[in-house]
Amino acid sequence: MNASADRPPTWTFLTHHARVLVEIARDPEARVRDLAGHIGITERGVQKILADLHQAGYLTRERVGRRNHYSLNLDAHFRHPTEAGLPVRLLIDLFVDRDRRHPT
């Protein structure tokens, strides 16, 4: 058996911030608990990421009853200088099937 198959990966291509954006595109009414479970991080980690994304203008939240509804700003551009001219819509389109994506 290959020893590397027994170990979890130590890095991934997508950041947790990107994963939160993708999961919200799939389900804008997802609970923090659900997001944390899908991504594999703590609920507190998700809350911090949501605050970061909200502050940077990538998402807005609206309280609907006891839940939050998130809307993504798909025209916002990536932050890193090498991708700064590209909208986050490209990431969402790459990872979220248009038929499964909720309008945001």
Side-chain angles (χ1 to χ4, degrees):
M1 178 173 284
N2 186 346
S4 65
D6 297 333
R7 290 185 299 225
T10 57
W11 63 273
T12 64
F13 283 103
L14 297 179
T15 66
H16 290 144
H17 284 68
R19 292 181 190 282
V20 168
L21 280 175
V22 167
E23 289 301 324
I24 288 173
R26 289 179 177 149
D27 183 4
E29 296 178 0
R31 298 176 304 169
V32 169
R33 173 181 297 147
D34 299 330
L35 294 169
H38 287 285
I39 297 165
I41 61 175
T42 65
E43 290 180 34
R44 181 67 190 124
V46 170
Q47 290 170 340
K48 170 80 170 84
I49 291 169
L50 289 170
D52 289 347
L53 294 171
H54 181 262
Q55 183 178 14
Y58 289 98
L59 65 81
T60 58
R61 330 174 231 231
E62 178 185 355
R63 193 79 171 157
V64 179
R66 294 177 48 188
R67 306 219 21 199
N68 285 322
H69 176 85
Y70 300 97
S71 296
L72 298 181
N73 177 3
L74 297 177
D75 295 323
H77 289 190
F78 287 101
R79 293 169 48 111
H80 194 276
T82 59
E83 299 92 29
L86 301 172
V88 296
R89 175 183 313 280
L90 296 175
L91 174 77
I92 300 306
D93 287 347
L94 186 63
F95 287 99
V96 180
D97 181 10
R98 288 182 190 269
D99 295 332
R100 286 185 53 202
R101 182 172 51 199
H102 293 267
T104 54

